[in-house]
Amino acid sequence: MSRLQIEQIPVLTDNYVYLLHDPASLATAAVDPAVAEPVEERLAQKGWTLTHILNTHHHGDHTGGNLALKQRYGARIVGARNDSQRIPGIDAQVADGDSFLLGEAAAVVMAVPGHTSGHIAFWFPESHALFCGDTLFALGCGRLFEGTAEQMWSSLLKLRGLPDDTMVYCAHEYTQSNARFARLLERDNKALLTRIDDIDAKRSRDLPTVPSPLAIERATNPFLRADIESVKKGVGLPGEDPIRVFAEIRRRKDAF
């Protein structure tokens, strides 16, 4: 197996597109290309040729560059089988548990509905890299546009179960706002307070807070901690079922 070279491209106001390059085969994928031009510019800088586009879900700020990039490079577009009608230009349809090869780099496809009904994530174990779109954010999670709290909690548990050294490559720079919200729920979480200081320092220098280690997300992200008593108490639901707690956290964040 091959370890990926990963390039992070900030686009629009707060989106990230990722380029994944397999040095063994020279295969290169763009993950969730919101727009085409910044991707084209970075490819030219690196001397890479786009061979694939990986879409985590159908929203326009994740698929807006699909067709232009496909037309220019002939890239093969990969997306969820059960959402194929909403993925522009889709060529390859994948489902939960499938293996996807980018050259010699193998990914596991994970169904993670909640934000959308057909949301998927791509986990590259050898590269310790998770591309999770809008399901899991640094210190947050996506809004429940098409799914239920039960679905999203199940999806987050699936992601939470990945190895500690997994790096979470989410699709938006929402971390500073998420941190302010998380602090309201766990004021005594020392790991969270330390992380907030680091986030503020990075953003003051206009540096990205993404990717983040999954181990740190587990220790600080309230949306991954709805079964932790300190978080339950933080929303006034001590001893309650985690799904109910998660739903309350999501409701509060929606109004934050």
Side-chain angles (χ1 to χ4, degrees):
M1 291 298 142
S2 183
R3 186 152 185 172
L4 295 167
Q5 298 174 14
I6 301 171
E7 289 282 311
Q8 184 177 34
I9 309 171
V11 301
L12 304 179
T13 57
D14 52 34
N15 279 67
Y16 289 125
V17 179
Y18 299 102
L19 289 182
L20 317 182
H21 180 72
D22 172 33
S25 66
L26 304 184
T28 304
V31 180
D32 288 344
V35 288
E37 186 174 349
V39 176
E40 294 168 348
E41 291 174 355
R42 187 66 62 89
L43 287 166
Q45 290 170 8
K46 301 298 293 185
W48 298 344
T49 299
L50 193 70
T51 58
H52 294 80
I53 293 168
L54 309 183
N55 288 138
T56 62
H57 62 296
H58 72 270
H59 286 161
D61 64 334
H62 294 253
T63 63
N66 275 21
L67 297 181
L69 291 170
K70 181 176 181 176
Q71 182 176 20
R72 176 164 180 178
Y73 300 100
R76 187 169 176 80
I77 298 175
V78 182
R81 179 176 302 138
N82 66 348
D83 209 15
S84 60
Q85 298 301 312
R86 299 193 291 181
I87 303 293
I90 190 169
D91 298 296
Q93 301 179 22
V94 294
D96 187 52
D98 285 353
S99 180
F100 167 76
L101 280 176
L102 177 64
E104 296 183 16
V108 177
V109 177
M110 305 175 73
V112 285
H115 180 65
T116 67
S117 59
H119 204 301
I120 57 175
F122 295 89
W123 174 44
F124 289 85
E126 294 294 322
S127 299
H128 310 285
L130 171 69
F131 298 91
C132 51
D134 288 359
T135 295
L136 176 63
F137 294 134
L139 281 177
C141 79
R143 289 176 180 262
L144 306 183
F145 288 131
E146 297 176 8
T148 65
E150 184 175 9
Q151 284 178 313
M152 185 62 117
W153 176 241
S154 178
S155 295
L156 291 173
L157 286 180
K158 186 184 293 187
L159 298 181
R160 191 177 78 173
L162 295 177
D164 281 354
D165 61 359
T166 302
M167 297 300 291
V168 178
Y169 290 86
C170 65
H172 291 277
E173 182 60 68
Y174 292 160
T175 318
Q176 200 163 35
S177 174
N178 289 343
R180 290 195 294 269
F181 175 74
R183 188 171 187 170
L184 296 176
L185 304 186
E186 284 196 288
R187 297 180 184 273
D188 298 324
N189 184 331
K190 292 182 179 179
L192 174 60
L193 298 178
T194 298
R195 186 178 185 189
I196 290 172
D197 288 341
D198 178 65
I199 289 164
D200 290 341
K202 285 180 176 176
R203 295 311 294 158
S204 71
R205 292 177 286 155
D206 201 30
L207 296 175
T209 64
V210 177
S212 57
L214 183 59
I216 291 178
E217 292 301 328
R218 277 203 212 95
T220 58
N221 187 331
F223 293 96
L224 293 181
R225 295 168 58 80
D227 54 353
I228 304 298
E229 199 58 33
S230 58
V231 176
K232 293 181 180 184
K233 290 178 180 177
V235 293
L237 295 172
E240 281 291 344
D241 178 79
I243 296 172
R244 184 183 174 196
V245 176
F246 172 81
E248 177 62 16
I249 298 169
R250 186 64 260 175
R251 185 192 70 78
R252 293 189 184 201
K253 182 61 169 64
D254 288 346
F256 179 67

